[in-house]
Amino acid sequence: MRPARWLITGVGSGLGSALARAALARGDAVAGTARAMADLAAFEALAPGQARGFRLELADEAAVAAVAREAEDVLGGVDVLVNNAGYGLVGAIEEASPDEIRAQFEVNLFGPLALIRAVLPAMRARRAGHIVNITSVSGVATWAGTGVYCASKFALEGAALTLADEVAPFGIKVTNIEPGGMRTDYSGRSLRQAARAIEDYASVAHAARRVLADHAGHEPGDPDKVAAAIIKVVDAENPPRQLLLGADAILYATRHMARFQAELGAWASVSLSTGFDQT
């Protein structure tokens, strides 16, 4: 097998950095994006000539398309796109402003979709490729106080699962990676808080802020092990379309699905009552 050619967003820290390092260590070529020039310089220093950095603001769709074209040219093709960059927003739905909501979707949904659209023509021409989206268990199960973040991840999940059906005839694979808590800087520079605070939500929605702050630096997920799992997925002949990573991710997703199944059964008669009567 020839070395794979990766385009990974958000290589400046956290999971993006861990995944880039793992791919480079096995001889793959990586085009990585970050917002800070210092992060890009550190990334390229990992493997000069093998690691190529690009400054990118995911909210700038024209820049997204340009970076995808440059990565295609520099690498000689993109085999694997990893939509990793993003950030979290904590706050009750009522507290989040329209601007905060739009900004969250620009980075967590519209940016990744723009990158997907940008790499697909060349992948279709080659009849090969793998698109990996780092969503979250929050794209499967919700958590009070993170509703806008969850909504952005649910939206990416739905778009990517649909995409998987659309591009399967072209030999292109799609996987949503759904990690639980990881020991990255998510609770630091990758987390924002709604500017407005409503006291009524102190005992419920605001608990998310306290939990994230209390667990910062003690999250159970190891980003290096998550990176190794992603590489295993990319190497697989038949990779999963969705993959939960972490015991906490499995716990929260299982609770969500169990509640859904229970309500489905309890309300089945109502669900089935809405059709036209048979004549």
Short mmCIF file of all heavy atoms in Angstrom, two decimals, residues 16-56:
data_model
loop_
_atom_site.label_atom_id
_atom_site.label_comp_id
_atom_site.label_asym_id
_atom_site.label_seq_id
_atom_site.Cartn_x
_atom_site.Cartn_y
_atom_site.Cartn_z
N GLY A 16 -6.85 16.59 16.57
CA GLY A 16 -6.28 16.86 15.24
C GLY A 16 -4.77 16.70 15.24
O GLY A 16 -4.19 16.11 14.33
N SER A 17 -4.13 17.21 16.28
CA SER A 17 -2.68 17.07 16.41
C SER A 17 -2.28 15.61 16.60
O SER A 17 -1.33 15.12 15.97
CB SER A 17 -2.18 17.91 17.59
OG SER A 17 -0.80 17.71 17.81
N ALA A 18 -3.00 14.90 17.46
CA ALA A 18 -2.69 13.49 17.72
C ALA A 18 -2.84 12.66 16.45
O ALA A 18 -2.00 11.79 16.15
CB ALA A 18 -3.60 12.95 18.82
N LEU A 19 -3.90 12.91 15.69
CA LEU A 19 -4.12 12.14 14.47
C LEU A 19 -3.08 12.46 13.42
O LEU A 19 -2.57 11.56 12.74
CB LEU A 19 -5.53 12.44 13.93
CG LEU A 19 -5.94 11.70 12.66
CD1 LEU A 19 -5.82 10.19 12.84
CD2 LEU A 19 -7.36 12.08 12.26
N ALA A 20 -2.73 13.73 13.28
CA ALA A 20 -1.70 14.11 12.31
C ALA A 20 -0.37 13.44 12.66
O ALA A 20 0.32 12.90 11.77
CB ALA A 20 -1.54 15.62 12.28
N ARG A 21 0.00 13.46 13.94
CA ARG A 21 1.25 12.84 14.36
C ARG A 21 1.25 11.34 14.08
O ARG A 21 2.26 10.76 13.65
CB ARG A 21 1.51 13.12 15.84
CG ARG A 21 1.96 14.55 16.11
CD ARG A 21 2.36 14.77 17.56
NE ARG A 21 1.21 15.03 18.41
CZ ARG A 21 0.70 14.17 19.27
NH1 ARG A 21 1.23 12.97 19.39
NH2 ARG A 21 -0.35 14.49 20.01
N ALA A 22 0.12 10.68 14.33
CA ALA A 22 0.03 9.23 14.09
C ALA A 22 0.15 8.91 12.60
O ALA A 22 0.82 7.94 12.22
CB ALA A 22 -1.30 8.70 14.64
N ALA A 23 -0.49 9.72 11.76
CA ALA A 23 -0.42 9.49 10.32
C ALA A 23 0.99 9.75 9.79
O ALA A 23 1.53 8.97 8.98
CB ALA A 23 -1.43 10.38 9.60
N LEU A 24 1.61 10.81 10.26
CA LEU A 24 2.98 11.13 9.83
C LEU A 24 3.96 10.05 10.28
O LEU A 24 4.89 9.69 9.54
CB LEU A 24 3.40 12.48 10.39
CG LEU A 24 2.69 13.71 9.81
CD1 LEU A 24 2.99 14.94 10.66
CD2 LEU A 24 3.09 13.94 8.36
N ALA A 25 3.75 9.52 11.47
CA ALA A 25 4.67 8.52 12.03
C ALA A 25 4.71 7.26 11.20
O ALA A 25 5.72 6.55 11.20
CB ALA A 25 4.28 8.19 13.47
N ARG A 26 3.62 6.96 10.49
CA ARG A 26 3.63 5.74 9.67
C ARG A 26 3.95 6.03 8.21
O ARG A 26 3.80 5.17 7.35
CB ARG A 26 2.31 5.01 9.80
CG ARG A 26 1.11 5.69 9.20
CD ARG A 26 -0.13 4.84 9.38
NE ARG A 26 -1.18 5.18 8.44
CZ ARG A 26 -2.15 4.36 8.08
NH1 ARG A 26 -2.19 3.14 8.59
NH2 ARG A 26 -3.08 4.72 7.23
N GLY A 27 4.39 7.27 7.94
CA GLY A 27 4.87 7.61 6.61
C GLY A 27 3.85 8.24 5.69
O GLY A 27 4.13 8.46 4.50
N ASP A 28 2.65 8.54 6.20
CA ASP A 28 1.63 9.18 5.37
C ASP A 28 1.95 10.67 5.20
O ASP A 28 2.70 11.26 5.98
CB ASP A 28 0.25 9.02 6.00
CG ASP A 28 -0.24 7.58 5.99
OD1 ASP A 28 0.38 6.76 5.29
OD2 ASP A 28 -1.23 7.28 6.69
N ALA A 29 1.36 11.28 4.20
CA ALA A 29 1.49 12.71 3.96
C ALA A 29 0.25 13.40 4.52
O ALA A 29 -0.87 12.92 4.34
CB ALA A 29 1.64 13.01 2.48
N VAL A 30 0.45 14.53 5.19
CA VAL A 30 -0.67 15.21 5.83
C VAL A 30 -0.67 16.69 5.49
O VAL A 30 0.33 17.39 5.71
CB VAL A 30 -0.63 15.05 7.36
CG1 VAL A 30 -1.81 15.78 8.00
CG2 VAL A 30 -0.64 13.57 7.76
N ALA A 31 -1.78 17.16 4.96
CA ALA A 31 -2.06 18.59 4.85
C ALA A 31 -2.94 18.93 6.04
O ALA A 31 -4.00 18.33 6.22
CB ALA A 31 -2.76 18.91 3.54
N GLY A 32 -2.48 19.86 6.87
CA GLY A 32 -3.22 20.19 8.07
C GLY A 32 -3.58 21.65 8.12
O GLY A 32 -2.83 22.50 7.64
N THR A 33 -4.75 21.94 8.69
CA THR A 33 -5.18 23.33 8.81
C THR A 33 -5.21 23.75 10.28
O THR A 33 -5.42 22.94 11.18
CB THR A 33 -6.57 23.57 8.20
OG1 THR A 33 -7.59 23.11 9.09
CG2 THR A 33 -6.70 22.88 6.84
N ALA A 34 -5.00 25.04 10.48
CA ALA A 34 -5.11 25.65 11.80
C ALA A 34 -5.33 27.14 11.60
O ALA A 34 -5.15 27.67 10.50
CB ALA A 34 -3.86 25.39 12.64
N ARG A 35 -5.71 27.81 12.65
CA ARG A 35 -5.95 29.25 12.57
C ARG A 35 -4.70 30.06 12.88
O ARG A 35 -4.50 31.13 12.35
CB ARG A 35 -7.07 29.66 13.52
CG ARG A 35 -8.41 28.99 13.22
CD ARG A 35 -9.43 29.33 14.29
NE ARG A 35 -9.76 30.75 14.29
CZ ARG A 35 -10.43 31.36 15.27
NH1 ARG A 35 -10.82 30.66 16.32
NH2 ARG A 35 -10.69 32.64 15.19
N ALA A 36 -3.84 29.55 13.76
CA ALA A 36 -2.66 30.28 14.21
C ALA A 36 -1.42 29.86 13.44
O ALA A 36 -1.16 28.67 13.25
CB ALA A 36 -2.45 30.07 15.71
N MET A 37 -0.64 30.84 13.00
CA MET A 37 0.57 30.54 12.24
C MET A 37 1.56 29.76 13.09
O MET A 37 2.29 28.90 12.56
CB MET A 37 1.20 31.84 11.75
CG MET A 37 0.33 32.61 10.75
SD MET A 37 -0.15 31.60 9.31
CE MET A 37 1.44 31.31 8.54
N ALA A 38 1.64 30.03 14.39
CA ALA A 38 2.56 29.30 15.25
C ALA A 38 2.21 27.82 15.29
O ALA A 38 3.11 26.95 15.30
CB ALA A 38 2.54 29.88 16.67
N ASP A 39 0.92 27.50 15.31
CA ASP A 39 0.49 26.11 15.30
C ASP A 39 0.89 25.43 13.99
O ASP A 39 1.30 24.26 13.98
CB ASP A 39 -1.03 26.01 15.48
CG ASP A 39 -1.47 26.34 16.90
OD1 ASP A 39 -0.63 26.24 17.82
OD2 ASP A 39 -2.65 26.69 17.09
N LEU A 40 0.76 26.15 12.88
CA LEU A 40 1.13 25.58 11.58
C LEU A 40 2.63 25.34 11.50
O LEU A 40 3.07 24.32 10.96
CB LEU A 40 0.68 26.52 10.46
CG LEU A 40 -0.84 26.65 10.29
CD1 LEU A 40 -1.16 27.70 9.23
CD2 LEU A 40 -1.46 25.31 9.90
N ALA A 41 3.42 26.26 12.03
CA ALA A 41 4.88 26.08 12.01
C ALA A 41 5.28 24.86 12.84
O ALA A 41 6.13 24.06 12.41
CB ALA A 41 5.56 27.34 12.56
N ALA A 42 4.65 24.68 13.99
CA ALA A 42 4.95 23.52 14.83
C ALA A 42 4.54 22.23 14.14
O ALA A 42 5.24 21.21 14.22
CB ALA A 42 4.24 23.66 16.18
N PHE A 43 3.41 22.27 13.45
CA PHE A 43 2.94 21.10 12.72
C PHE A 43 3.90 20.71 11.60
O PHE A 43 4.30 19.54 11.47
CB PHE A 43 1.54 21.37 12.15
CG PHE A 43 1.10 20.42 11.09
CD1 PHE A 43 0.85 19.09 11.37
CD2 PHE A 43 0.92 20.86 9.78
CE1 PHE A 43 0.44 18.20 10.38
CE2 PHE A 43 0.51 19.99 8.78
CZ PHE A 43 0.28 18.66 9.09
N GLU A 44 4.32 21.67 10.80
CA GLU A 44 5.23 21.37 9.69
C GLU A 44 6.59 20.88 10.19
O GLU A 44 7.25 20.08 9.52
CB GLU A 44 5.40 22.59 8.80
CG GLU A 44 4.15 22.94 8.00
CD GLU A 44 4.40 23.98 6.94
OE1 GLU A 44 5.30 24.82 7.13
OE2 GLU A 44 3.68 23.95 5.90
N ALA A 45 6.99 21.35 11.37
CA ALA A 45 8.28 20.92 11.94
C ALA A 45 8.27 19.45 12.35
O ALA A 45 9.34 18.85 12.52
CB ALA A 45 8.63 21.80 13.14
N LEU A 46 7.09 18.86 12.50
CA LEU A 46 7.01 17.45 12.86
C LEU A 46 7.62 16.55 11.79
O LEU A 46 8.23 15.52 12.09
CB LEU A 46 5.54 17.04 13.07
CG LEU A 46 4.80 17.64 14.26
CD1 LEU A 46 3.31 17.28 14.19
CD2 LEU A 46 5.41 17.15 15.57
N ALA A 47 7.44 16.93 10.53
CA ALA A 47 7.95 16.13 9.41
C ALA A 47 8.09 17.04 8.20
O ALA A 47 7.20 17.09 7.35
CB ALA A 47 7.01 14.97 9.12
N PRO A 48 9.19 17.78 8.12
CA PRO A 48 9.37 18.72 7.01
C PRO A 48 9.21 18.04 5.64
O PRO A 48 9.78 16.98 5.38
CB PRO A 48 10.81 19.21 7.22
CG PRO A 48 11.03 19.08 8.69
CD PRO A 48 10.30 17.82 9.08
N GLY A 49 8.39 18.66 4.80
CA GLY A 49 8.13 18.12 3.47
C GLY A 49 7.02 17.09 3.44
O GLY A 49 6.40 16.89 2.39
N GLN A 50 6.77 16.48 4.56
CA GLN A 50 5.71 15.47 4.67
C GLN A 50 4.45 16.06 5.27
O GLN A 50 3.34 15.61 4.98
CB GLN A 50 6.22 14.32 5.54
CG GLN A 50 5.36 13.09 5.61
CD GLN A 50 5.93 12.06 6.58
OE1 GLN A 50 7.10 12.11 6.94
NE2 GLN A 50 5.10 11.12 7.02
N ALA A 51 4.64 17.09 6.11
CA ALA A 51 3.53 17.80 6.73
C ALA A 51 3.45 19.19 6.12
O ALA A 51 4.42 19.95 6.15
CB ALA A 51 3.73 17.91 8.23
N ARG A 52 2.29 19.54 5.57
CA ARG A 52 2.10 20.83 4.94
C ARG A 52 0.94 21.56 5.62
O ARG A 52 -0.17 21.02 5.68
CB ARG A 52 1.82 20.66 3.44
CG ARG A 52 2.93 19.95 2.68
CD ARG A 52 4.21 20.77 2.66
NE ARG A 52 4.04 22.02 1.95
CZ ARG A 52 4.27 22.15 0.63
NH1 ARG A 52 4.65 21.11 -0.10
NH2 ARG A 52 4.10 23.32 0.05
N GLY A 53 1.22 22.75 6.12
CA GLY A 53 0.23 23.48 6.87
C GLY A 53 -0.47 24.57 6.06
O GLY A 53 0.13 25.20 5.19
N PHE A 54 -1.74 24.77 6.36
CA PHE A 54 -2.55 25.79 5.69
C PHE A 54 -3.37 26.53 6.73
O PHE A 54 -4.08 25.91 7.53
CB PHE A 54 -3.51 25.16 4.67
CG PHE A 54 -2.83 24.43 3.56
CD1 PHE A 54 -2.52 23.07 3.69
CD2 PHE A 54 -2.48 25.07 2.39
CE1 PHE A 54 -1.89 22.39 2.67
CE2 PHE A 54 -1.84 24.40 1.36
CZ PHE A 54 -1.54 23.06 1.50
N ARG A 55 -3.28 27.86 6.71
CA ARG A 55 -4.11 28.65 7.61
C ARG A 55 -5.54 28.66 7.07
O ARG A 55 -5.76 28.90 5.88
CB ARG A 55 -3.59 30.08 7.74
CG ARG A 55 -4.34 30.87 8.81
CD ARG A 55 -3.80 32.28 8.98
NE ARG A 55 -4.51 32.95 10.06
CZ ARG A 55 -5.72 33.48 9.94
NH1 ARG A 55 -6.36 33.43 8.78
NH2 ARG A 55 -6.31 34.05 10.98
N LEU A 56 -6.51 28.42 7.95
CA LEU A 56 -7.89 28.33 7.49
C LEU A 56 -8.86 28.77 8.57
O LEU A 56 -8.78 28.34 9.72
CB LEU A 56 -8.22 26.89 7.08
CG LEU A 56 -9.66 26.65 6.59
CD1 LEU A 56 -9.95 27.45 5.32
CD2 LEU A 56 -9.91 25.16 6.34
#
